[in-house]
């Protein structure tokens, strides 16, 4: 949560900083602020509650001049969204300015200590205490060296942080630091840049420096990037990556919103991931980094994830257990610390996370690692923390996903999970090569099926009318379709703030059917598979009680059409499990239309953030 961005160089800082904040706004959007070192030697800035657009308007009036600055867009954790709690925060003398993404867990003790030392704290945030710690070390042991002052300050902190710090005593110096919160750096001929996410700096250079946990960096106007470790020692070769995607991929490109763009990108994203994945020896998944013997010995899998990625885990479980016959537990990461874990030396932990920065997922993965378990991750964001801490990672290559609601990452993660399940099944002898090839060929149908659904978006447009004036809805399915129902319901909730409950269809009669009344919207995921006959009965049951039924059904299924008010048609898939992909695309489109009808900001739903870096 929260996005930070910083610049020092020869250009004016505010255009880059404000543009960077707009790119990062998906990370948090309840308040925003900017501070610039101005030529008169002072700090000048603006901060306010509300969206980045409000900040941009205020900055236009403030006429901020200067070539070194930091900026922040906030997702509130400590203290309400307000002008006062917005970042940047300054020290008592008003000469040091700081932005922070993360949570300082020991802030109460530090706050007490700082107040006792005579500091004046003006916000309710945990972040503000850091700038006062920097102030103390600047005046004390760091002797005016900002990098050293920030390093000393971070030794007092517990929790997570990505920091950007500037001060009037060292004009042009921008110090960054990170621990458990993402931070990337780059430079070009006009200066050096830092940001929470590559999307904000990719337009400057594709060559990205990634700070490791505990590292700090001093950026200078000549583009210099000097990295040190938590112990203060110089790190001569910090980790760098070259990003393959371009700045334009992180822009809206003519679509009304990022969600529309990202939904439309799904066929291409899946095609990319599927390319060259079948070799002479079955599925190619070198990213797992395990020998054939190690793979064949896997006796249990823990899948750990949150939200939409957790839904991918449920689908992956079906595929792995069915094809590879390995028992799988799918864990909600935030609940994982309370569960007892039974591992053997052959247990594999799989973390599924689009951003690779989700705090709950990282904490759970670390717990598994500490227990000696090998960790494999399925991620989208290149170089993310989850990937860096895993023994192997498959990148789903969906490209930057900006809309808070996950769409293209979901379907690509599913494709990656299917590949993984086929890989396991072949390596442990539960599936012969011919069958692997058949399944892979069937999986190749997924991009085209998604494309077909996109061409049918008018069906979702029509069906969205069923939600008008409604306060609640029910999503039903059986087997893997129950997971599609869960994901569809999550999409409706997060985008339109309309209550939606997902239920295994057979369980409905044990309670939730009492909600059904005239016109009550029910979305039934009922493709032509072994769940269809029983689903048809469930649809008749709710129809008899006046429900308005929207079915996701396989082309030409007239029986389903006869019982439904609206049908979202999906093409026939050779492998029934892969119905989850075109079904997901319909349910994404449906959720978007319902949200648009309600006047919601589909890219930035209230209270949410793209990357949930707090536990
Ligand atoms: C999905 O639409 C959500 N915004 C959310 O549930 C998300 O999937 C979850 O926070 C996990 O994120 P991750 O995949 O980046 O770990």
């Amino acid at each position: 949560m929260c996005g930070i961005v910083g610049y020092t160089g020869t250009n004016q800082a505010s255009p880059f900083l404000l543009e960077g904040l707009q790119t990062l706004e998906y990370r948090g959007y309840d308040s925003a602020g900017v501070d610039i070192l101005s030529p008169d030697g002072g700090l000048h800035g603006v901060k306010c509650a509300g969206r980045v657009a409000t900040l941009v308007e205020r900055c236009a009036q403030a006429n901020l001049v200067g070539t070194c600055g930091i900026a922040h867009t906030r997702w509130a954790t400590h203290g309400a969204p307000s002008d006062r709690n917005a970042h940047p925060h300054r020290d008592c003398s008003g000469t040091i300015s700081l932005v922070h993404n993360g949570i300082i867990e020991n802030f109460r003790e530090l706050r007490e200590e700082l107040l006792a030392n005579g500091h004046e704290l003006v916000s309710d945030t945990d972040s503000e205490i850091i700038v006062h710690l920097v102030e103390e070390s600047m005046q004390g042991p760091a002797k005016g060296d900002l990098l050293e002052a920030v390093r000393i300050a971070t030794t007092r902190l517990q929790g997570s942080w990505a920091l950007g710090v500037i001060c009037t005593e060292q004009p042009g110096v921008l110090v960054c630091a990170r621990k458990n919160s993402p931070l990337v750096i780059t430079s070009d001929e006009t200066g050096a840049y830092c940001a929470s996410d590559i999307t904000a700096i990719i337009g400057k250079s594709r060559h990205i420096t990634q700070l490791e946990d505990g590292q700090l960096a001093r950026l200078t106007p000549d583009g210099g990037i000097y990295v040190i470790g938590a112990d203060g020692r110089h790190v001569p070769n910090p980790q760098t990556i070259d990003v393959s995607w371009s700045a334009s991929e992180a822009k809206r490109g003519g679509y009304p919103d990022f969600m529309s763009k990202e939904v439309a990108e799904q066929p291409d994203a899946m095609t990319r991931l599927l390319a060259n994945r079948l070799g002479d020896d079955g599925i190619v998944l070198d990213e797992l980094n395990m020998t054939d013997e190690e793979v064949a010995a896997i006796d249990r899998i823990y899948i750990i994830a949150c939200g939409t990625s957790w839904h991918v885990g449920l689908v992956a479980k079906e595929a792995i257990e069915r094809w590879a016959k390995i028992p799988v537990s799918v864990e909600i990461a935030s609940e994982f610390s309370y569960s007892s874990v039974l591992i053997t030396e052959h247990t594999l932990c799989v973390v599924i996370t689009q951003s690779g920065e989700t705090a709950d997922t990282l904490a759970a993965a670390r717990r598994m690692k500490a227990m000696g378990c090998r960790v494999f991750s399925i991620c989208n964001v290149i170089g993310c923390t989850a990937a860096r801490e895993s023994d192997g990672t498959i990148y789903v290559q969906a490209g930057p996903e900006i809309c808070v609601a996950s769409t293209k990452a979901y379907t690509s993660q599913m494709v990656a999970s299917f590949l993984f399940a086929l890989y396991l099944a072949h390596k442990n002898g539960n599936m012969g090569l011919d069958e692997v090839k058949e399944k892979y060929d069937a999986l190749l149908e997924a991009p085209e099926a998604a494309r077909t659904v996109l061409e049918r978006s008018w069906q979702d447009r029509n069906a969205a009318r069923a939600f008008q004036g409604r306060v609640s809805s029910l999503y039903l399915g059986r087997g893997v379709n129950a997971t599609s129902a869960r994901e569809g319901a999550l999409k409706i909730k997060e985008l339109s703030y309309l209550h939606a409950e997902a239920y295994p269809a057979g369980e409905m009669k044990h309670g939730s059917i009492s909600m059904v009344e005239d016109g009550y919207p029910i979305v039934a995921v009922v493709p032509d598979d072994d769940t269809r006959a029983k689903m048809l009965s469930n649809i008749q049951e709710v129809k008899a009680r006046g429900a308005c039924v929207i079915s996701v059904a396989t082309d030409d299924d007239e029986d389903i059409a006869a019982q439904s008010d609206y049908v979202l048609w999906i093409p026939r898939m050779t492998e029934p499990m892969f119905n989850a992909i075109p079904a997901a695309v319909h349910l994404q489109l449906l959720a978007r239309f319902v949200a648009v009808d309600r006047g919601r900001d589909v890219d930035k739903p209230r209270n949410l953030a793209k990357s949930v870096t707090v536990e």
Side-chain angles (χ1 to χ4, degrees):
M1 340 286 237
C2 301
I4 70 171
V5 63
Y7 170 71
T8 180
T10 51
N11 286 337
Q12 286 302 310
S14 63
F16 166 74
L17 295 176
L18 295 175
E19 202 182 308
L21 284 192
Q22 276 157 341
T23 309
L24 293 180
E25 199 173 16
Y26 69 90
R27 299 181 64 87
Y29 30 85
D30 56 44
S31 51
V34 58
D35 251 347
I36 307 262
L37 277 169
S38 78
D40 66 11
L43 280 169
H44 290 276
V46 177
K47 54 185 196 169
C48 53
R51 299 244 165 141
V52 173
T54 313
L55 180 75
V56 171
E57 277 168 26
R58 302 259 180 101
C59 286
Q61 292 152 18
N63 188 27
L64 296 174
V65 177
T67 59
C68 176
I70 50 177
H72 186 273
T73 179
R74 179 169 185 246
W75 188 87
T77 56
H78 297 62
S82 65
D83 292 4
R84 194 166 55 84
N85 289 331
H87 299 218
H89 294 289
R90 295 189 191 166
D91 70 323
C92 297
S93 63
T95 59
I96 308 171
S97 176
L98 172 143
V99 286
H100 168 226
N101 168 33
I103 298 244
I104 304 306
E105 288 161 3
N106 58 336
F107 97 100
R108 281 180 209 289
E109 302 95 275
L110 293 170
R111 189 181 163 87
E112 292 308 312
E113 179 187 315
L114 288 163
L115 289 171
N117 288 351
H119 288 266
E120 195 190 342
L121 301 177
V122 295
S123 81
D124 308 316
T125 67
D126 55 340
S127 310
E128 188 188 10
I129 58 118
I130 311 171
V131 75
H132 292 273
L133 291 173
V134 175
E135 176 189 5
E136 287 200 344
S137 40
M138 258 316 243
Q139 289 162 1
K143 301 188 186 105
D145 176 349
L146 186 61
L147 179 62
E148 180 60 2
V150 176
R151 189 190 72 77
I152 294 169
T154 55
T155 62
R156 305 288 320 278
L157 306 178
Q158 287 164 18
S160 58
W161 58 86
L163 302 175
V165 193
I166 54 176
C167 77
T168 57
E169 275 183 49
Q170 288 200 286
V173 169
L174 164 60
V175 169
C176 339
R178 82 158 283 222
K179 187 177 172 223
N180 294 336
S181 287
L183 192 78
V184 288
I185 301 170
T186 197
S187 64
D188 64 9
E189 60 289 350
T190 69
Y193 311 79
C194 69
S196 301
D197 187 329
I198 292 171
T199 49
I201 56 175
I202 186 70
K204 303 302 173 188
S205 165
R206 292 189 186 190
H207 188 66
I208 306 291
T209 299
Q210 293 185 301
L211 290 188
E212 304 273 344
D213 262 353
Q215 290 183 341
L216 301 94
R218 179 173 54 222
L219 314 189
T220 42
D222 57 356
I225 301 170
Y226 179 82
V227 178
I228 61 168
D231 56 4
R233 281 201 209 139
H234 180 216
V235 178
N237 296 307
Q239 194 178 56
T240 58
I241 50 165
D242 289 305
V243 178
S244 56
W245 47 272
S246 67
S248 63
E249 285 177 66
K251 296 211 161 33
R252 225 167 0 108
Y255 286 89
D257 42 63
F258 276 107
M259 181 174 183
S260 305
K261 174 175 179 270
E262 289 159 12
V263 167
E265 284 171 344
Q266 291 179 103
D268 288 347
M270 287 186 277
T271 303
R272 256 195 314 271
L273 178 57
L274 282 163
N276 306 318
R277 286 287 172 185
L278 184 67
D280 294 339
D281 191 27
I283 298 297
V284 179
L285 197 61
D286 301 337
E287 297 99 320
L288 191 56
N289 282 336
M290 290 173 78
T291 64
D292 286 359
E293 293 68 35
E294 286 170 335
V295 176
I298 295 172
D299 58 0
R300 180 162 191 174
I301 293 177
Y302 276 91
I303 296 180
I304 299 169
C306 302
T308 288
S309 292
W310 181 70
H311 295 154
V312 178
L314 296 176
V315 175
K317 173 185 165 78
E318 293 272 331
I320 295 168
E321 291 188 339
R322 193 172 302 179
W323 297 336
K325 318 280 182 231
I326 303 170
V328 180
S329 307
V330 189
E331 308 282 337
I332 290 179
S334 55
E335 287 292 301
F336 189 61
S337 10
Y338 316 113
S339 64
S340 28
V341 185
L342 306 170
I343 64 165
T344 71
E345 57 177 317
H346 300 300
T347 300
L348 179 68
C349 169
V350 178
V351 297
I352 305 180
T353 166
Q354 185 282 133
S355 62
E357 304 295 345
T358 303
D360 290 320
T361 306
L362 293 176
R366 286 173 190 147
R367 179 178 175 208
M368 288 302 260
K369 270 221 108 160
M371 292 171 78
C373 194
R374 181 183 279 271
V375 175
F376 175 59
S377 54
I378 299 178
C379 304
N380 186 34
V381 176
I382 312 286
C384 60
T385 305
R388 286 153 67 181
E389 295 186 3
S390 300
D391 300 295
T393 300
I394 180 169
Y395 286 114
V396 299
Q397 304 168 52
E401 193 181 66
I402 309 294
C403 174
V404 166
S406 184
T407 55
K408 61 177 178 172
Y410 177 61
T411 45
S412 288
Q413 286 168 327
M414 273 199 282
V415 168
S417 302
F418 290 135
L419 290 170
F420 175 57
L422 291 175
Y423 180 84
L424 294 178
H426 184 229
K427 295 286 180 209
N428 73 8
N430 277 297
M431 193 183 276
L433 194 54
D434 287 348
E435 200 184 344
V436 170
K437 285 182 179 161
E438 275 170 29
K439 297 274 188 234
Y440 177 75
D441 284 345
L443 191 51
L444 290 178
E445 295 167 4
E448 199 45 45
R451 199 166 279 122
T452 304
V453 170
L454 290 168
E455 283 161 10
R456 298 173 178 179
S457 64
W458 57 271
Q459 296 169 357
D460 306 282
R461 173 55 283 164
N462 284 345
R465 300 200 168 95
F467 292 82
Q468 275 167 14
R470 295 285 157 186
V471 293
S472 173
S473 58
L474 202 54
Y475 279 62
L476 303 177
R478 287 170 179 255
V480 76
N481 307 314
T483 301
S484 299
R486 280 181 193 269
E487 175 59 11
L490 178 63
K491 283 286 153 294
I492 282 276
K493 279 185 282 198
E494 67 178 334
L495 294 177
S496 33
Y497 323 149
L498 168 79
H499 173 251
E501 192 170 346
Y503 239 72
E507 184 66 8
M508 174 190 59
K509 58 188 174 293
H510 299 288
S512 50
I513 197 168
S514 66
M515 296 196 296
V516 178
E517 58 184 359
D518 262 359
Y520 186 84
I522 293 217
V523 178
V525 186
V526 54
D528 189 6
D529 61 15
D530 58 356
T531 68
R532 180 184 169 280
K534 287 202 169 67
M535 278 297 294
L536 191 52
S537 307
N538 298 139
I539 290 173
Q540 281 160 340
E541 286 155 17
V542 293
K543 210 52 214 144
R545 289 162 176 82
C548 176
V549 175
I550 301 159
S551 294
V552 180
T554 305
D555 280 348
D556 304 323
D557 192 333
E558 293 307 328
D559 294 341
I560 300 290
Q563 294 297 324
S564 309
D565 296 271
Y566 301 92
V567 185
L568 310 177
W569 294 109
I570 60 171
R572 181 167 294 282
M573 305 294 284
T574 303
E575 162 57 51
M577 222 179 313
F578 301 160
N579 285 320
I581 291 169
V585 181
H586 260 313
L587 297 179
Q588 294 162 358
L589 290 166
L590 178 66
R592 182 182 170 277
F593 283 120
V594 174
V596 168
D597 285 349
R598 290 176 178 235
R600 308 299 190 213
D601 179 344
V602 292
D603 283 342
K604 300 187 197 81
R606 71 181 179 201
N607 302 337
L608 295 176
K610 183 73 185 165
S611 170
V612 186
T613 54
V614 293
E615 281 183 64

